């Protein structure tokens, strides 16, 4: 297994991603892994290794730059607010990551997908919606309320949404709005909904966790299997 | 591979199911496969073999008896209408099949699941809703409009719905009604929705097919993978 930090920069900010890949055969289908609002933390680094074990060349993105790990509602809201205030800059950071991944010799630049967790799921959906050059996107408990409606510039890729029925950031009204917008733009989509699952169902419970988030072993395992099959299907 | 016809009877009707199972190890987790309104046809017999290849002991149910293969709207509607008019008799035929499967030496009677296609999906959902002794149920493009709302007698099992967003027999209003009813009864559920897929998306197109039904390769392959992982998870 190859693993190395991968620095890339944009507009004066240096991002420190993590690249992970098995040793052979090369080049491999490639994935951009986008973290949630809490940054490129241990959970995401471990997830990158699990994805590499599935056969992908993986870049765990450092969306915030400098491996920043925001804590608490105030820091989180500031980060998300800055993205929503300048969606072009938000997407430009993902595009910089995409180019960095495409430049790695282990990655097949013609077969790149993207997945994201929580705010990273919103980010991945926004990336493909706005024409980002990926072939497919999977989201885990994405904040669907942050995804805009105009998919007319979307990439010709597939979308997989893995979401909990009891996630206040992915309410059924937003799910219906989003899937209708994708259908109208002829973007193929799939929505896997886990009954009773709350926000951030893939992430371990920890002290201080808000009540709208909870680990759900079933939804965690099922969404992982759905994602693995999805990327194998779309990037084969 | 073992394959044999399996006759069982109820109230003067003899049903001729088909039992299929790999040779070892035994006993295996077991599945009841319920056909759609067209009966236990070639497509269902082939599906039983594919399920056996996954490691299950499978009984392809003969819901209509005598391997009847109804044709045309009039015969189909008569069969479905009879079930809806006497739901207890409908469920009794499934229970007779369950007992026949449980009696096979290759089947682990403590680990039985059920899956169904089209009307067979409605049948499987009704079976678990009314307390049928299965541990889990998966449906492919089930007629959700035929499934009733009171899940208070439901078995303590899991449900997986695989459905197309453009299936007139599984409209979003019915999906929401059904999932809300399952949530209210604490029945764990998952709904995998394939954007743009119509009714009967797993079944090959053929002349005379109505416009609301169409084969969809993506939904077919994804739902099969979701089902295989689901039963492996629930019956392990």
């Amino acid at each position: 297994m190859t693993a190395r930090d991968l620095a890339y920069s944009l507009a004066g900010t240096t991002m420190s991603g993590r690249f992970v890949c098995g040793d052979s055969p090369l080049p491999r289908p490639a994935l951009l892994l986008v973290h949630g609002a809490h940054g490129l933390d241990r959970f995401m680094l471990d997830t990158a290794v699990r994805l590499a074990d599935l056969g992908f060349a993986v870049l765990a993105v450092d969306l915030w730059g400098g491996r920043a790990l925001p804590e608490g509602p105030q820091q989180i809201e500031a980060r998300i607010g800055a993205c929503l205030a300048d969606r072009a800059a938000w997407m430009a950071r993902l595009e910089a990551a995409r180019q960095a991944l495409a430049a790695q010799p282990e990655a097949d630049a013609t077969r790149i997908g993207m997945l994201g967790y929580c705010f990273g799921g919103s980010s991945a959906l926004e990336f493909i919606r706005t024409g980002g050059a990926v072939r497919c996107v999977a989201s885990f408990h994405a904040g669907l309320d942050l995804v805009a409606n105009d998919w007319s510039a979307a990439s010709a890729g597939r979308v997989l949404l893995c979401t909990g029925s009891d996630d206040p950031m992915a309410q059924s009204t937003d799910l219906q709005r989003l899937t209708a917008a994708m259908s109208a733009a002829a973007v193929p989509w799939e929505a896997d909904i886990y009954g009773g699952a709350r926000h951030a169902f893939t992430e371990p419970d920890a002290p201080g966790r808000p009540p709208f988030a909870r680990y759900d072993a079933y939804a965690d395992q099922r969404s992982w299997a759905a994602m693995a099959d999805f990327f194998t299907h779309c990037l084969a």
Side-chain angles (χ1 to χ4, degrees), chain A:
Chain A
M1 182 82 72
T2 295
R4 56 181 180 264
D5 291 334
L6 178 55
Y8 54 99
S9 55
L10 179 76
T13 299
T14 297
M15 276 81 71
S16 178
R18 181 80 176 168
F19 179 79
V20 192
C21 185
D23 292 322
S24 64
L26 298 175
R28 296 191 170 203
L31 292 175
L32 290 154
L33 169 63
V34 190
H35 58 71
H38 293 277
L40 181 46
D41 57 11
R42 172 51 49 194
F43 174 69
M44 280 292 104
L45 293 168
D46 291 344
T47 301
V49 173
R50 292 178 68 202
L51 291 166
D53 284 338
L54 294 177
F56 299 99
V58 183
L59 175 59
V61 170
D62 174 25
L63 184 61
W64 299 146
R67 288 271 173 106
L69 299 172
E71 288 183 8
Q74 200 170 353
Q75 290 184 26
I76 298 288
E77 284 163 23
R79 295 280 182 175
I80 294 178
C83 289
L84 299 178
D86 188 347
R87 287 183 183 245
W90 178 18
M91 293 300 107
R93 289 203 172 184
L94 292 176
E95 172 58 15
R98 192 197 65 77
Q99 292 181 18
L101 174 59
Q104 303 308 305
E106 298 94 337
D108 182 345
T110 69
R111 293 188 290 163
I112 298 182
M114 183 182 278
L115 71 163
Y117 288 71
C118 299
F119 182 70
S122 317
S123 302
L125 292 166
E126 279 292 281
F127 191 69
I128 197 167
R129 181 185 73 78
T130 56
V134 289
R135 283 175 49 170
C136 43
V137 157
S139 73
F140 296 88
H141 40 75
L144 301 184
D145 50 332
L146 305 183
V147 182
N149 277 342
D150 179 1
W151 283 68
S152 59
S155 308
R158 281 199 178 272
V159 170
L160 169 66
L161 306 170
C162 297
T163 195
S165 73
D166 290 2
D167 181 346
M169 294 162 186
Q171 298 192 31
S172 61
T173 47
D174 271 314
L175 182 62
Q176 287 181 39
R177 174 185 61 79
L178 176 56
T179 54
M182 290 190 285
S183 290
V187 172
W189 59 268
E190 174 183 337
D192 292 1
I193 308 168
Y194 309 103
R198 302 186 193 183
H199 189 61
F201 56 76
T202 62
E203 296 173 24
D205 290 324
R209 202 164 201 214
F212 58 80
R214 188 169 60 186
Y215 181 72
D216 184 312
Y218 175 84
D220 180 25
Q221 293 164 27
R222 289 285 294 167
S223 60
W224 183 266
M227 175 277 297
D229 181 75
F230 175 76
F231 284 127
T232 301
H233 184 281
C234 295
L235 299 176

